């Protein structure tokens, strides 16, 4: 399912408002446009999607490869997960690894207050 979900997205960054549209669907518990750029509108190149009864997916858009799942909570060993916060930390860490090192002023980021870049943790 993760790859097929990524395949449903267009082959370009998406309007950040798509996160709200996806979150309104019955099977999506949460969807957040984590990182993107302002180019007349907010265009997201990283999404975090919590699918009901499935788990958390982190997706990243790359011009060369399109949308890719870079984290899937279903791949985690359930015994190694201390809390939901742990899963979110892992997802945000995976997204951060692919984020621009020095984003320009057109960049936006939406991360939870409990998360900080891995080198700061």
């Amino acid at each position: 399912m993760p790859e097929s979900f990524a395949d449903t997205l267009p082959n370009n960054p998406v309007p950040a408002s798509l996160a709200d549209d996806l979150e309104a669907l019955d099977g999506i518990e949460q969807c957040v446009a984590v990182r993107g750029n302002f180019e007349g509108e907010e265009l997201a190149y990283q999404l975090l999607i919590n699918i009901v009864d499935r788990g958390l997916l982190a997706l990243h858009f790359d011009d060369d490869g399109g949308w890719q799942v870079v984290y899937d909570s279903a791949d985690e060993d359930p015994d190694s997960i201390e809390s939901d916060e742990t899963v979110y930390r892992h997802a945000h860490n995976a997204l951060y690894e692919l984020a621009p090192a020095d984003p320009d002023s057109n960049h936006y980021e939406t991360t939870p207050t409990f998360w900080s870049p891995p080198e700061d943790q």
Side-chain angles (χ1 to χ4, degrees):
M1 179 178 175
E3 282 71 33
S4 63
F5 187 88
D7 290 341
T8 66
L9 297 171
N11 195 26
N12 53 272
V14 296
S17 60
L18 178 67
D20 295 332
D21 296 340
L22 290 173
E23 198 169 274
L25 299 174
D26 286 339
I28 306 292
E29 183 176 327
Q30 177 188 36
C31 186
V32 177
V34 176
R35 288 185 183 82
N37 291 306
F38 297 106
E39 294 180 16
E41 65 179 320
E42 291 181 24
L43 295 176
Y45 58 82
Q46 291 189 334
L47 296 171
L48 190 66
I49 303 167
N50 194 343
I51 301 172
V52 175
D53 297 327
R54 170 64 180 74
L56 193 63
L57 297 177
L59 291 95
H60 174 80
F61 178 80
D62 180 293
D63 287 330
D64 296 327
W67 285 98
Q68 301 292 317
V69 175
V70 297
Y71 175 81
D72 183 347
S73 65
D75 294 338
E76 292 274 4
D77 174 8
D79 295 331
S80 71
I81 302 298
E82 300 168 12
S83 66
D84 288 344
E85 186 176 304
T86 302
V87 172
Y88 278 89
R89 282 185 190 279
H90 292 174
H92 280 283
N93 288 350
L95 290 171
Y96 181 77
E97 287 181 26
L98 299 169
D102 189 21
D104 61 26
S105 62
N106 287 332
H107 177 86
Y108 72 86
E109 183 172 320
T110 306
T111 54
T113 55
F114 64 77
W115 182 84
S116 59
E119 64 268 6
D120 295 342
Q121 294 179 10

